[in-house]
Amino acid sequence: MTPDVNQTIREIAINNPATVRIFETLGIDYCCGGKRPIAEACARANVPLETLMTALAELGPESVSPEEKAWTAAPFRDLIGHIISRHHGYVRQEGPRLEALLDKVVNRHGTDHPELLSIRDVFLALNQELTAHMFKEEHVLFPFLQQMEAASRSGEPMPAACFDSVGTPIARMLADHDDAGELLAKIRALSGDFQAPAGACRSYLGLYHGLQEFERDLHMHVHLENNILFPRALEMDQMLRQESAYVTH
Ligand SMILES: [Fe+2]
Ligand SMILES: [Fe+2]
């Protein structure tokens, strides 16, 4: 692809979902910090602009895998279904597994590597926050977005809501994502970019690999919500507002 230096990271990621692999590899924030222009995002990640531009230029159009399809036009039902089954499901599966693995590795190596205890504390906090966060999405925001989309398609009035605007719960979700991003960054820093010490056992290596994969998945998860689903929902909310008044209770 031909990179445009004036674009934001978010715009590039939306236009070509395969680019997120490059951002991930280079440590460039494409989810919570996706609104930054390319040069600023590179500077924050300590990546030469030229390195990113070259990597993007080498990316062919065929590099998008079916799983990385663009979600910019898919019905909310499909995008939300994908987020829940793929990413919420991943957190629910990997969260407890990594907690158990952390206990095991802390018990064996915590004395020599006290940073493991801090990593466990931060991961437990992250997993707890994500569990509550996903509950809110699945039981409040996502059902509302699907009702809103149905109303938009049928020309019906806006569905009843316990908030003035969909921007209110979305703002809360964005704040949660920022908090999760900070916890992920702490884990990365505490683990020295997931570099296990020389001679580390298989459990230790598996733990760091699992934590890195957890980070990667959460980045994609947040990207789909922050950069695609939520902006589309806000746009639809505005459009429907012009056509009908909210029914609040
Ligand atoms: Fe989510
Ligand atoms: Fe979320």
Side-chain angles (χ1 to χ4, degrees):
M1 65 174 284
T2 310
D4 177 349
V5 77
N6 296 313
Q7 283 185 302
T8 62
I9 295 296
R10 171 181 180 271
E11 287 166 340
I12 293 174
I14 290 171
N15 290 341
N16 185 345
T19 58
V20 302
R21 274 184 268 133
I22 292 174
F23 297 142
E24 193 74 57
T25 304
L26 296 176
I28 291 172
D29 182 1
Y30 65 93
C31 45
C32 290
K35 287 182 181 167
R36 296 191 184 101
I38 291 185
E40 188 186 332
C42 282
R44 288 180 73 97
N46 272 329
V47 172
L49 180 60
E50 191 57 34
T51 303
L52 175 62
M53 297 304 268
T54 303
L56 291 175
E58 287 171 354
L59 199 64
E62 73 287 349
S63 52
V64 181
S65 75
E67 287 187 342
E68 294 169 330
K69 73 182 226 183
W71 290 100
T72 48
F76 284 176
R77 168 185 83 242
D78 294 350
L79 174 52
I80 287 170
H82 172 76
I83 287 171
I84 292 175
S85 66
R86 168 99 185 213
H87 298 291
H88 290 198
Y90 181 88
V91 171
R92 290 194 172 105
Q93 187 181 322
E94 279 297 281
R97 187 185 78 83
L98 289 170
E99 283 186 9
L101 192 50
L102 268 161
D103 284 341
K104 185 176 170 184
V105 178
V106 163
N107 286 340
R108 282 195 198 160
H109 305 286
T111 309
D112 292 337
H113 297 283
E115 71 277 9
L116 287 167
L117 280 82
S118 303
I119 291 172
R120 180 171 63 179
D121 288 346
V122 178
F123 187 78
L124 288 175
L126 174 63
N127 208 19
Q128 201 169 26
E129 282 194 17
L130 287 175
T131 301
H133 174 82
M134 295 188 304
F135 184 90
K136 287 184 276 184
E137 287 182 337
E138 291 175 18
H139 291 86
V140 181
L141 181 58
F142 288 174
F144 182 80
L145 296 186
Q146 292 185 81
Q147 288 170 20
M148 191 170 79
E149 182 178 59
S152 162
R153 284 172 192 265
S154 65
E156 298 285 315
M158 283 293 289
C162 57
F163 37 78
D164 290 339
S165 153
V166 77
T168 304
I170 284 179
R172 280 193 214 118
M173 296 303 105
L174 290 173
D176 285 354
H177 292 169
D178 285 346
D179 290 345
E182 283 174 21
L183 294 175
L184 280 179
K186 271 188 194 169
I187 293 173
R188 177 174 273 279
L190 284 164
S191 65
D193 289 330
F194 307 107
Q195 294 301 310
C201 66
R202 281 177 59 186
S203 296
Y204 208 138
L205 292 170
L207 171 67
Y208 274 17
H209 176 74
L211 289 172
Q212 188 163 18
E213 286 301 307
F214 195 90
E215 180 197 66
R216 190 195 309 272
D217 192 83
L218 198 55
H219 284 164
M220 175 57 84
H221 178 175
V222 170
H223 160 68
L224 291 175
E225 292 174 358
N226 278 26
N227 295 334
I228 299 179
L229 179 63
F230 295 169
R232 285 183 62 191
L234 290 169
E235 202 177 311
M236 188 179 287
D237 176 75
Q238 263 203 328
M239 201 183 67
L240 284 168
R241 266 169 180 284
Q242 288 164 2
E243 295 168 6
S244 67
Y246 261 91
V247 181
T248 56
H249 55 73

